[in-house]
Amino acid sequence: GNSVTQMEGPVTLSEEAFLTINCTYTATGYPSLFWYVQYPGEGLQLLLKATKADDKGSNKGFEATYRKETTSFHLEKGSVQVSDSAVYFCALRGSNYQLIWGAGTKLIIKP
Amino acid sequence: EAGVTQFPSHSVIEKGQTVTLRCDPISGHDNLYWYRRVMGKEIKFLLHFVKESKQDESGMPNNRFLAERTGGTYSTLKVQPAELEDSGVYFCASSKMSGLETDTQYFGPGTRLTVL
């Protein structure tokens, strides 16, 4: 069946550091892939998405590329800020339109 | 445009009681989804409405959970009777139309349910 695996957190970085949060998936076919973010005290917000192989999603300085050959969708940002502290979720959309989620990675950015 | 809203934001009940969660989707969105995150685990799909019809309820854990969407607008999720393992955060999401690669699910802030 479909599944998503994310690197475990928490991930702690200093401000302006480079960020990578790994995400790999198992799926039949070529699902759409998503990164959602949950800031403290808030709901889930769509951060970026990619709908086919080699697509790159980007938003707010974050990027992720849909890699079919490695079944991955790693999230990257060149220079993180304290305001990026949040929980990040990788997800794929199954054939029935439901989202299948990774466990979430808590990101802590220290000034 | 108003986003997805959920009520209440937090509910604390005792085991055996009944709780009803409400979700108001974005206006004009035919699709409505319920998900939940039990403590320490992944977010899991519960069910999917298209307008007032249940398209997929494969994620509903058992018959203590009842979801409705009368008139195809807001939805309710009732848990009766609640058990300790039902504690978690219940998220609602809506989307304009399924079947499109560009379709995006927009989430509400969630309802945190605590069963004592």
Side-chain angles (χ1 to χ4, degrees), chain A residues 8 13 22 40 42 76 91 94 101 106:
Chain A
E8 290 191 20
L13 297 172
N22 291 336
E42 298 184 16
E76 296 182 336
W101 301 82
K106 184 173 184 178

Side-chain angles (χ1 to χ4, degrees), chain A residues 62-79:
Chain A
F62 290 89
E63 292 183 341
T65 301
Y66 191 141
R67 301 282 188 202
K68 183 179 65 174
E69 57 281 357
T70 54
T71 61
S72 64
F73 193 54
H74 304 322
L75 183 68
E76 296 182 336
K77 186 174 185 182
S79 176

Side-chain angles (χ1 to χ4, degrees), chain A residues 46-49 57-64 75-77:
Chain A
L46 177 66
L47 182 60
L48 54 84
K49 67 179 183 182
S58 60
N59 186 24
K60 299 182 180 180
F62 290 89
E63 292 183 341
L75 183 68
E76 296 182 336
K77 186 174 185 182

Side-chain angles (χ1 to χ4, degrees), chain A:
Chain A
N2 296 338
S3 66
V4 175
T5 302
Q6 277 182 248
M7 63 188 293
E8 290 191 20
V11 173
T12 303
L13 297 172
S14 297
E15 208 166 18
E16 298 184 3
F18 184 87
L19 167 72
T20 300
I21 300 178
N22 291 336
C23 171
T24 57
Y25 66 91
T26 301
T28 53
Y30 303 106
S32 294
L33 301 173
F34 304 82
W35 278 100
Y36 280 82
V37 58
Q38 186 177 25
Y39 296 103
E42 298 184 16
L44 294 161
Q45 299 177 26
L46 177 66
L47 182 60
L48 54 84
K49 67 179 183 182
T51 58
K52 59 184 185 294
D54 300 325
D55 266 3
K56 178 186 284 188
S58 60
N59 186 24
K60 299 182 180 180
F62 290 89
E63 292 183 341
T65 301
Y66 191 141
R67 301 282 188 202
K68 183 179 65 174
E69 57 281 357
T70 54
T71 61
S72 64
F73 193 54
H74 304 322
L75 183 68
E76 296 182 336
K77 186 174 185 182
S79 176
V80 293
Q81 306 300 314
V82 172
S83 58
D84 293 326
S85 298
V87 181
Y88 292 80
F89 295 91
C90 184
L92 67 81
R93 183 165 60 209
S95 56
N96 291 336
Y97 311 114
Q98 58 179 271
L99 291 173
I100 296 164
W101 301 82
T105 302
K106 184 173 184 178
L107 176 64
I108 301 169
I109 306 299
K110 296 189 173 181

Side-chain angles (χ1 to χ4, degrees), chain A residues 32 36 49 93 97 99 103, chain B residues 35 37 99 101-105:
Chain A
S32 294
Y36 280 82
K49 67 179 183 182
R93 183 165 60 209
Y97 311 114
L99 291 173
Chain B
Y35 295 85
R37 189 182 193 201
E101 290 302 327
T102 54
D103 193 42
T104 296
Q105 294 180 28

Side-chain angles (χ1 to χ4, degrees), chain B residues 2-94:
Chain B
V4 178
T5 57
Q6 293 186 245
F7 183 82
S9 57
H10 193 182
S11 179
V12 181
I13 61 173
E14 293 192 351
K15 175 182 172 180
Q17 290 186 320
T18 297
V19 62
T20 300
L21 313 181
R22 172 171 170 145
C23 169
D24 286 76
I26 293 171
S27 178
H29 281 195
D30 287 342
N31 294 276
L32 188 148
Y33 304 81
W34 283 98
Y35 295 85
R36 75 171 179 177
R37 189 182 193 201
V38 172
M39 185 68 70
K41 303 221 172 149
E42 293 91 351
I43 300 170
K44 293 286 190 184
F45 166 82
L46 294 178
L47 88 160
H48 170 203
F49 284 100
V50 176
K51 297 185 179 178
E52 67 275 10
S53 299
K54 291 177 185 174
Q55 179 79 8
D56 180 359
E57 51 184 332
S58 61
M60 294 287 263
N62 52 60
N63 59 10
R64 295 186 295 103
F65 288 76
L66 175 64
E68 295 180 325
R69 192 182 182 197
T70 307
T73 54
Y74 71 91
S75 174
T76 58
L77 180 64
K78 181 191 288 187
V79 185
Q80 180 181 30
E83 298 289 345
L84 298 179
E85 63 266 23
D86 300 332
S87 296
V89 180
Y90 289 75
F91 292 102
C92 175
S94 72

